[in-house]
């Protein structure tokens, strides 16, 4: 290294220069080494900072990894706990399934797709009369009744494409004991590809049910037999009061067919004047589960009227459950007509009784008073009048008694075949004196009709009929008697010249 200094004059001009030369080689070497050392230190410091940063980053990553590891460890612990809980639940569920499977009251079996038993419960063993373990490996078809084996194989083949539960009724043939009817339900277990892995079978002994069904069929057949032969109309409805059954007698009375009466169809055969009232009463009693009783007028298709006495009551099962309603219809058309005739007859008889009683009383009164003591002919006439009216009175009383016996069903009829002409001749002989007295001629038209009747009672009826014709005919006229023979009856006619009696 060199240093120099200029020397100047007073006027400022340079005079000379003065310099010193120093050897600084060692110092330069030292500076170079020092510089190198500084650079190395700087590099080392930089690398140290980088390494420290890397270490901090790695430490952070390790810390995060540790936290993640701890979280994962906690998750694994929880998962392990859940797995243990799930395994325990599965074990409990399997135990329940095994308990249900083994101790179920019905027979349960599991077979492969070919019907080979893989598993069976105790009930299945009891039904098939084999230990459940002895059933494993055996074809289920072995325990199907001979007559149903082909059907079973058909059902087994049909299960291949079918999904869901299928039910059948087959005969089961247990080992060495009597066969019994069974209800069998089958359902398939399939893999994700839809292929059958196994088939579950449920077998129930339905012997009691079949016996109950047979008893019910017999009861229904017996009921229908009795109902169809019953002289009283019988009907049944559901719990809403809609008709579900009528017997032939009911159909005959009301004029409808079995199909026409179903539901509310029977209402269309009620007389229009009563239909609304009957309908309201009926459905009110149904809603209140009450009995109903009354008389109803039916209009049949031919326009004729029939009167029925209706009685119905709710029908309950053994458990008290309402099953519907059952009722009867009694045809009272004839009894109503008889009652009307009786009322009219009593009205007429009341009048008719007064007439002979008045005549008898008057005749006997005159005889008792002695007024006719000196008039024997007139007295004799009074006696004859009293006698004739007494006979008339006896006939009227007998008619009343006959009507009473007829109404109380105490009349015994002696039925046999009679020639209608013979009956007319006997009747005419009885009333001939009355006809002669009134100057009435009686003409009987020829007839070959035969009638199945009680001869005495029919003659009595004909005597009354002919007697009325004579009574209301003017003198010197003819009463014509003729017989009209129809398919199911014989009609007797007494034709006279009177105005007649309103029928």
């Amino acid at each position: 290294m060199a240093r120099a200094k200029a020397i100047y004059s007073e006027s400022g001009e340079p005079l000379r220069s003065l310099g010193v030369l120093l050897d600084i080689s060692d110092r330069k070497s030292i500076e170079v080494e020092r510089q190198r050392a500084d650079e190395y230190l700087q590099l080392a410091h930089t690398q140290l900072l980088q390494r420290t940063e890397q270490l901090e980053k790695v430490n952070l990553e390790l810390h995060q990894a540790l936290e993640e590891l701890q979280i994962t460890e906690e998750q694994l612990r929880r998962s392990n706990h859940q797995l243990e809980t799930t395994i325990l639940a599965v074990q409990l569920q399997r135990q329940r399934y095994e308990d249900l499977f083994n101790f179920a009251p019905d027979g349960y079996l599991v077979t492969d797709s070919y019907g080979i038993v893989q598993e069976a419960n105790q009930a299945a063993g009891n039904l098939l009369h084999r230990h459940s373990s002895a059933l494993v490996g055996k074809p289920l078809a072995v325990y199907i009744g001979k007559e149903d084996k082909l059907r079973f194989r058909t059902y087994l083949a049909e299960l291949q494409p079918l999904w869901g539960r299928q039910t059948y009724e087959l005969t089961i043939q247990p080992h060495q004991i009597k066969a019994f009817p069974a209800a069998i339900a089958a359902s398939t277990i399939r893999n994700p590809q839809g292929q059958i892995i196994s088939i579950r079978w449920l077998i129930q002994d339905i012997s009691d049910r079949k016996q109950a069904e047979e008893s019910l069929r017999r009861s229904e057949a017996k009921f229908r037999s009795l109902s169809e032969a019953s002289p009283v109309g019988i009907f049944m409805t559901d719990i809403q009061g809609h008709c579900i059954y009528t017997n032939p007698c009911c159909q005959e009375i009301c004029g409808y067919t079995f199909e026409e009466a179903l539901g509310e169809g029977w209402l269309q055969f009620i007389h229009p004047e009563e239909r609304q009232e009957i309908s309201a009463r009926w459905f009110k009693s149904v809603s209140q589960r009450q009995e109903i009783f009354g008389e109803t007028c039916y209009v049949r298709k031919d326009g004729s009227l029939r009167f029925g006495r209706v009685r119905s009551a709710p029908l309950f099962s053994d458990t008290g459950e309402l099953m519907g309603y059952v009722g009867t219809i009694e045809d009272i058309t004839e009894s109503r007509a008889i009652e009307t005739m009786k009322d009219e007859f009593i009205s007429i008889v009341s009048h008719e009784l007064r007439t002979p009683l008045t005549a008898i009383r008057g005749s006997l009164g005159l005889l008792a008073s002695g007024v006719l003591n000196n008039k024997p002919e007139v007295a004799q006439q009074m006696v004859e009048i009293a006698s004739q009216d007494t006979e008339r009175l006896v006939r009227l009383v007998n008619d009343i008694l006959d009507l009473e016996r007829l109404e109380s069903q105490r009349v015994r009829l002696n039925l046999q075949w009679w020639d209608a002409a013979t009956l007319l001749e006997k009747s005419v002989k009885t009333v001939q004196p009355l006809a002669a007295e009134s100057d009435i001629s009686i003409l009987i038209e020829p007839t070959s009709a035969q009638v199945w009747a009680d001869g005495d009672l029919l003659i009595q009826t004909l005597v009354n009929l002919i007697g009325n014709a004579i009574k209301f005919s003017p003198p010197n006229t003819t009463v014509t008697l003729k017989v009209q023979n129809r398919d199911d009856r014989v009609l007797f006619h007494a034709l006279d010249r009177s105005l007649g009696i309103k029928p």
Side-chain angles (χ1 to χ4, degrees), residues 257-311:
T257 64
F258 182 90
E259 291 75 14
E260 289 171 338
L262 296 177
E264 298 182 12
W266 59 274
L267 282 171
Q268 302 307 313
F269 293 83
I270 303 294
H271 195 285
E273 295 180 1
E274 299 181 0
R275 187 177 302 153
Q276 185 174 358
E277 179 187 356
I278 294 296
S279 176
R281 285 183 57 203
W282 170 254
F283 288 107
K284 180 180 179 181
S285 67
V286 167
S287 64
Q288 298 176 352
R289 299 186 177 185
Q290 295 178 343
E291 296 185 0
I292 189 171
F293 177 80
E295 295 183 1
T296 305
C297 179
Y298 297 92
V299 182
R300 300 201 295 186
K301 295 176 183 177
D302 60 2
S304 62
L305 302 181
R306 304 295 288 182
F307 295 89
R309 182 177 291 116
V310 181
R311 183 189 300 271

Side-chain angles (χ1 to χ4, degrees), residues 208-431:
D208 293 341
R209 192 186 82 187
K210 286 294 184 181
Q211 291 177 0
E213 289 176 354
E214 180 62 23
S215 298
L216 180 60
R217 279 193 293 270
R218 291 178 180 177
S219 297
E220 289 179 348
K222 184 177 181 180
F223 166 77
R224 290 188 180 277
S225 177
L226 293 173
S227 175
E228 291 179 2
S230 173
V232 177
I234 299 174
F235 64 90
M236 295 181 66
T237 75
D238 58 18
I239 59 176
Q240 284 82 31
H242 298 145
C243 181
I244 59 175
Y245 172 78
T246 55
N247 73 336
C249 184
C250 184
Q251 298 160 26
E252 172 64 23
I253 294 172
C254 303
Y256 45 59
T257 64
F258 182 90
E259 291 75 14
E260 289 171 338
L262 296 177
E264 298 182 12
W266 59 274
L267 282 171
Q268 302 307 313
F269 293 83
I270 303 294
H271 195 285
E273 295 180 1
E274 299 181 0
R275 187 177 302 153
Q276 185 174 358
E277 179 187 356
I278 294 296
S279 176
R281 285 183 57 203
W282 170 254
F283 288 107
K284 180 180 179 181
S285 67
V286 167
S287 64
Q288 298 176 352
R289 299 186 177 185
Q290 295 178 343
E291 296 185 0
I292 189 171
F293 177 80
E295 295 183 1
T296 305
C297 179
Y298 297 92
V299 182
R300 300 201 295 186
K301 295 176 183 177
D302 60 2
S304 62
L305 302 181
R306 304 295 288 182
F307 295 89
R309 182 177 291 116
V310 181
R311 183 189 300 271
S312 73
L315 184 64
F316 296 97
S317 66
D318 294 338
T319 59
E321 180 183 2
L322 178 64
M323 299 172 61
Y325 295 82
V326 62
T328 60
I329 301 179
E330 179 186 359
D331 189 348
I332 59 171
T333 305
E334 300 300 331
S335 62
R336 282 174 61 96
I338 292 174
E339 189 67 27
T340 301
M341 292 173 59
K342 177 183 175 182
D343 293 341
E344 293 177 354
F345 178 78
I346 291 176
S347 177
I348 295 173
V349 167
S350 298
H351 174 74
E352 294 292 332
L353 285 175
R354 292 192 193 97
T355 302
L357 285 174
T358 301
I360 293 171
R361 181 182 179 184
S363 299
L364 295 180
L366 289 174
L367 291 173
S369 65
V371 175
L372 302 178
N373 289 340
N374 299 323
K375 300 178 180 179
E377 294 180 358
V378 177
Q380 182 63 31
Q381 291 178 357
M382 293 298 103
V383 171
E384 291 177 356
I385 291 174
S387 176
Q388 293 174 359
D389 285 333
T390 300
E391 292 178 359
R392 181 181 177 189
L393 186 60
V394 169
R395 289 197 299 271
L396 289 173
V397 172
N398 286 335
D399 289 342
I400 295 173
L401 294 176
D402 289 343
L403 180 62
E404 182 64 27
R405 285 196 297 270
L406 184 63
E407 186 180 35
S408 61
Q409 299 181 351
R410 288 186 286 111
V411 176
R412 294 184 179 181
L413 302 179
N414 182 21
L415 298 176
Q416 56 183 313
W417 286 107
W418 287 87
D419 182 66
T422 301
L423 294 174
L424 286 176
E425 290 173 0
K426 290 185 177 184
S427 301
V428 169
K429 287 182 180 180
T430 303
V431 299

Side-chain angles (χ1 to χ4, degrees), residues 91-230:
Q91 291 176 343
L92 291 173
Q93 189 68 22
R94 181 172 180 79
Q95 185 62 43
R96 292 192 192 98
Y97 165 76
E98 291 178 352
D99 291 342
L100 290 173
F101 185 81
N102 290 322
F103 299 106
D106 299 318
Y108 285 95
L109 301 100
V110 179
T111 71
D112 60 13
S113 59
Y114 300 101
I116 305 301
V117 178
Q118 298 174 332
E119 192 176 359
N121 69 347
Q122 294 179 10
N126 294 335
L127 287 173
L128 302 180
H129 205 233
R130 301 283 296 213
H131 193 276
S132 58
S133 60
L135 299 175
V136 177
K138 301 289 192 307
L140 182 57
V142 171
Y143 301 99
I144 302 299
K146 184 183 298 184
E147 67 277 11
D148 286 341
K149 286 186 183 294
L150 180 60
R151 290 175 57 203
F152 174 75
R153 294 190 180 96
T154 302
Y155 293 152
L156 187 62
E158 290 175 348
L159 282 174
Q160 302 299 324
L162 296 177
W163 293 72
R165 182 185 178 98
Q166 310 298 321
T167 56
Y168 315 100
E169 286 191 6
L170 296 170
T171 301
I172 297 296
Q173 179 58 67
H175 180 64
Q176 295 181 346
I177 62 174
K178 186 179 178 181
F180 62 87
I184 299 178
S187 58
T188 57
I189 302 174
R190 301 174 184 266
N191 61 17
Q193 290 74 37
Q195 298 173 332
I196 294 179
I197 300 173
S198 59
I199 304 174
R200 291 177 295 189
W201 303 85
L202 168 65
I203 302 177
Q204 293 177 308
D205 185 349
I206 58 173
S207 300
D208 293 341
R209 192 186 82 187
K210 286 294 184 181
Q211 291 177 0
E213 289 176 354
E214 180 62 23
S215 298
L216 180 60
R217 279 193 293 270
R218 291 178 180 177
S219 297
E220 289 179 348
K222 184 177 181 180
F223 166 77
R224 290 188 180 277
S225 177
L226 293 173
S227 175
E228 291 179 2
S230 173

Side-chain angles (χ1 to χ4, degrees), residues 35-45:
Q35 184 177 0
R36 287 178 179 174
D38 289 341
E39 291 177 354
Y40 179 77
L41 289 173
Q42 184 66 32
L43 178 60
H45 180 69

Side-chain angles (χ1 to χ4, degrees), residues 16-43:
R16 61 179 179 276
S17 61
L18 181 64
V20 180
L21 181 62
L22 296 174
D23 186 2
I24 57 173
S25 299
D26 293 336
R27 195 182 71 179
K28 285 294 185 180
S29 297
I30 293 170
E31 288 178 353
V32 171
E33 290 296 330
R34 182 181 175 184
Q35 184 177 0
R36 287 178 179 174
D38 289 341
E39 291 177 354
Y40 179 77
L41 289 173
Q42 184 66 32
L43 178 60

